[in-house]
Amino acid sequence: MNSFIPIELYTPFYFYSLLFIVLVTFLHTLILPLNSVKILKYIKVIGPVLLIFVILYMGLRPISGRYFGDMSTYSHYFKIYSTGAPITSTRDILFHNFTKFSSQLMTIHVYFLLCAGLYVIPLYFICKKWFNDYWFYGFLFLIGAFSFWAYGTNGIRNGIAGSFFLLGISREKRVWQILWIVLAINFHKTMLLPAVGFLLANFYNQPKRMIVFWALCIPVSLIGGGFFENFFGSIGFDDQRIHYFTEGKINNDDFRFTGFRWDFLMYSATAVFAGWYYIVKLKFKDKIYFWLYNTYLFSNAFWILVIRANFSNRFAYLSWFMIGVVLIYPLLIKEIIPRQHHRIGLVLIAYFSFTFIMNLLIN
């Protein structure tokens, strides 16, 4: 499918478009209170426009392995399944069945549009559930994440699985929580890691102690060197280790470089600090937020242990897909700090600045 935007500019156009919306939103936070009628009108207009834009722009992108990484791999799956080829993979079985089923009913371009919908639409429902009239802010934080675009255009099944997982956490009834999390795991097996973290959070919901656990993983990883990559490979991560530590890259090339990534550790630490500030300093108490925060700490701690691995972004994403809601959730649930709307804008600017710089200026 031809695009009116040159393919080499396709990704930059997305980030510049998002930058414009972020700046306009930031200006609103400077001059209007959160409960202003004008803010609600702004959300009613810009929210649906942004939702539709992201789905269509991401879903109708040109098919390219050069500019969109593993998109060429997904295209290959679709094409061989369209010829009647059987499913031979024993991993991520739901994804393969979904792709095979789609290949019999639609074109490859509609398939990628559907994938974008499965990735983005759950985020809308999550934000509507948690933040009601102010859903747009939560949605903007989620799609403004450093890894959001990459996992909608490259690590596609991982991205969809992450959205399914968050949708599960947002459900009130336990049966729906379990159903969506199981679907997430069967779409991408690595969702087992945050699923274990979520399970533990239900029985051991102690954010302060989990912060200590996360912090201890840093010196342990520094001392342990490559021990943990080999250890996790020896207990059943063999195939996944080969797959995730040697395959592909996200749209920027930051994870080509091995070693202890202090820059990405600092990025992860922003959510850790935010959770500490809300829970310990401001005494914010919310069962769902405790679940989110503890799951994030558990999953991110695992990544820290294997941080030296080549292309460990695949494990980093198992916590990073939650980072937006960890940062913004308390600020949209109740008033806990003075001039809260203004503070939301400042957090948004700082948060998206990292995304913009890493994806465009440093890339």
Side-chain angles (χ1 to χ4, degrees), residues 96-347:
H96 284 282
N97 276 282
F98 159 71
T99 301
K100 183 173 177 61
F101 179 75
S102 299
S103 71
Q104 307 302 309
L105 298 176
M106 60 191 71
T107 67
I108 192 168
H109 299 290
V110 177
Y111 166 72
F112 281 119
L113 180 61
L114 180 58
C115 286
L118 291 175
Y119 181 43
V120 177
I121 292 174
L123 303 182
Y124 164 76
F125 285 114
I126 291 162
C127 294
K128 283 291 288 184
K129 175 68 175 178
W130 283 339
F131 311 130
N132 298 312
D133 292 338
Y134 305 106
W135 69 270
F136 165 73
Y137 288 93
F139 184 74
L140 187 56
F141 267 79
L142 284 168
I143 68 166
F146 164 62
S147 54
F148 173 79
W149 176 258
Y151 281 87
T153 59
N154 178 12
I156 298 172
R157 52 183 155 170
N158 203 351
I160 294 173
S163 294
F164 285 176
F165 181 85
L166 277 179
L167 187 62
I169 294 181
S170 72
R171 301 302 92 183
E172 292 181 356
K173 293 184 178 180
R174 186 67 72 180
V175 62
W176 288 110
Q177 284 185 346
I178 295 172
L179 175 62
W180 281 109
I181 291 174
V182 169
L183 288 175
I185 293 170
N186 280 279
F187 226 88
H188 205 278
K189 189 162 52 171
T190 56
M191 280 296 136
L192 273 169
L193 181 66
V196 170
F198 179 65
L199 180 64
L200 291 174
N202 275 265
F203 292 98
Y204 188 76
N205 211 351
Q206 300 291 329
K208 294 180 183 178
R209 295 182 180 180
M210 286 299 297
I211 292 172
V212 174
F213 167 73
W214 178 87
L216 287 175
C217 285
I218 298 173
V220 169
S221 181
L222 284 168
I223 296 169
F227 166 78
F228 292 100
E229 290 92 331
N230 295 325
F231 172 73
F232 289 120
S234 68
I235 61 173
F237 279 82
D238 305 75
D239 293 337
Q240 295 296 325
R241 182 182 61 174
I242 294 171
H243 181 66
Y244 292 111
F245 292 3
T246 62
E247 176 197 31
K249 59 181 184 296
I250 55 179
N251 286 339
N252 56 56
D253 294 328
D254 299 304
F255 277 90
R256 288 179 305 172
F257 310 106
T258 57
F260 201 93
R261 295 305 306 268
W262 289 102
D263 49 353
F264 289 113
L265 178 62
M266 294 302 295
Y267 175 65
S268 298
T270 58
V272 178
F273 173 78
W276 171 85
Y277 184 74
Y278 297 140
I279 295 169
V280 179
K281 198 74 173 176
L282 300 179
K283 309 299 181 183
F284 177 76
K285 293 183 179 180
D286 183 278
K287 180 179 68 174
I288 295 174
Y289 187 69
F290 281 14
W291 284 347
L292 276 169
Y293 187 56
N294 287 334
T295 303
Y296 174 83
L297 289 170
F298 178 84
S299 300
N300 195 256
F302 179 89
W303 168 66
I304 290 172
L305 294 178
V306 298
I307 198 171
R308 290 177 177 81
N310 197 21
F311 304 119
S312 68
N313 63 297
R314 303 288 177 149
F315 282 116
Y317 183 75
L318 300 178
S319 57
W320 283 357
F321 75 93
M322 294 179 275
I323 203 168
V325 286
V326 171
L327 289 172
I328 195 61
Y329 183 100
L331 299 179
L332 297 177
I333 294 297
K334 63 183 295 188
E335 188 171 349
I336 56 178
I337 54 177
R339 302 181 65 200
Q340 188 154 304
H341 197 207
H342 178 54
R343 302 294 177 85
I344 289 173
L346 292 175
V347 174

Side-chain angles (χ1 to χ4, degrees), residues 1-14 57 61-62 64 67-68 149:
M1 181 175 294
N2 294 325
S3 170
F4 66 93
I5 298 174
I7 191 169
E8 65 273 13
L9 299 179
Y10 204 85
T11 294
F13 182 83
Y14 169 79
Y57 191 74
R61 67 193 180 279
S64 171
Y67 289 97
F68 303 118
W149 176 258

